[in-house]
Amino acid sequence: PGARTSEEREQPKAAEDTKMMCGDARESPTSPLPASVSAPGSTSVAALIADADGGALGERLAAMGLDASRSSSFAAAAARLLAAGVAPETRATAFWVPGRIEVLGKHTDYAGGRSLLCAVNRGFSVVAADRDDAVLRVFASFELTGEADVAEVALAAAHEAASPAGWAVYPAVTARRLARNFGIRGGVDLALSCDLPEASGMSSSSAVVIATFLCLSARNRLSAQLRARLPTAEALCHYLGCVENGQDCGHELPGDAGVGT
């Protein structure tokens, strides 16, 4: 809330482009793409663990208003990558993707209405290490139950390909859509550690879509394409919704079956 920046005030053309691409006919303020998309940072798997052990990661989390103890979840995700054979020096990115509570407007969002949402302090600690092939391998850890699972998806899979069952359908659908819309070919080993209660209505499924998108976008350096085709945060959010439900996001970003819900 508050006054808009000069950069935001100078985006009327971007807003018009957004309406054309994503079909949003409402007049609403526009926001620039977040830094996690436009300028994602990187580290290495070993450096992330060292930062967590030494306290530097906790300090950075606290400076952003997050729980400093969350650093242990990032370290656990990075350690799982090492256990899977990822080299310590491999380039890596890390993201925090929170769950959310839908205070008002549940089921109106995808019908063109408005919702009142808030992020929660539970969610996904995500670490992704670059691969040299077109494969997405996901290592999921569910902190509340102690369960762990692995899924693997080829980025070049056609939209007719069968999707995996369960939670793995969400990263699979996201990878497939990005391969179709943006031609990505750079894969990642993605480890995520989740402390959201299962089936709690805190949008764990959408968080997995967003986490997968962030990691693959950073790996394939999609920033320039995203700024050209989805120039505002609102346009990007609409696109990610279309990824999940399978709808087209304009003629240039066609959809497919989505996750089936």
Side-chain angles (χ1 to χ4, degrees):
R4 299 173 65 198
T5 65
S6 59
E7 181 181 359
E8 291 172 319
R9 288 194 297 269
E10 292 169 1
Q11 292 195 42
K13 180 59 168 62
E16 290 302 315
D17 291 343
T18 300
K19 294 175 191 175
M20 292 175 62
M21 288 185 296
C22 296
D24 184 1
R26 296 194 303 262
E27 291 289 344
S28 59
T30 59
S31 308
L33 291 174
S36 57
V37 175
S38 62
S42 65
T43 181
S44 69
V45 179
L48 193 149
I49 293 176
D51 282 353
D53 291 343
L57 178 56
E59 292 175 2
R60 292 200 296 273
L61 291 170
M64 292 186 289
L66 300 174
D67 185 352
S69 66
R70 183 72 56 189
S71 62
S72 62
S73 295
F74 283 100
R80 191 165 183 199
L81 293 179
L82 294 181
V86 175
E89 67 276 10
T90 305
R91 177 184 178 272
T93 53
F95 301 95
W96 165 247
V97 183
R100 64 97 178 96
I101 294 173
E102 198 158 15
V103 181
L104 293 171
K106 191 171 181 65
H107 300 306
T108 65
D109 45 6
Y110 52 77
R114 296 181 181 275
S115 298
L116 177 63
L117 311 176
C118 66
V120 298
N121 61 355
R122 290 176 177 250
F124 291 85
S125 302
V126 185
V127 180
D130 291 0
R131 293 178 62 100
D132 294 326
D133 55 14
V135 171
L136 167 66
R137 190 168 53 155
V138 184
F139 301 88
S141 299
F142 303 98
E143 297 178 19
L144 300 184
T145 64
E147 297 178 0
D149 205 354
V150 182
E152 186 172 306
V153 181
L155 297 184
H159 69 277
E160 292 86 0
S163 295
W167 67 269
V169 67
Y170 297 95
V173 163
T174 307
R176 183 177 65 203
R177 182 71 177 260
L178 290 177
R180 295 186 66 209
N181 291 165
F182 294 95
I184 64 169
R185 292 295 181 267
V188 295
D189 285 321
L190 190 164
L192 55 85
S193 182
C194 173
D195 66 350
L196 283 173
E198 185 177 358
S200 61
M202 292 186 181
S203 198
S204 58
S205 56
S206 296
V208 172
V209 170
I210 293 168
T212 305
F213 165 80
L214 289 170
C215 294
L216 289 175
S217 174
R219 168 67 181 92
N220 290 274
R221 294 169 171 80
L222 294 183
S223 297
Q225 286 196 64
L226 291 170
R227 282 194 295 267
R229 303 171 76 176
L230 299 166
T232 67
E234 289 77 14
L236 176 60
C237 290
H238 183 85
Y239 173 71
L240 291 172
C242 291
V243 169
E244 187 166 350
N245 65 30
Q247 293 180 354
D248 294 345
C249 186
H251 298 298
E252 296 183 357
L253 300 170
D256 52 28
V259 301
T261 59

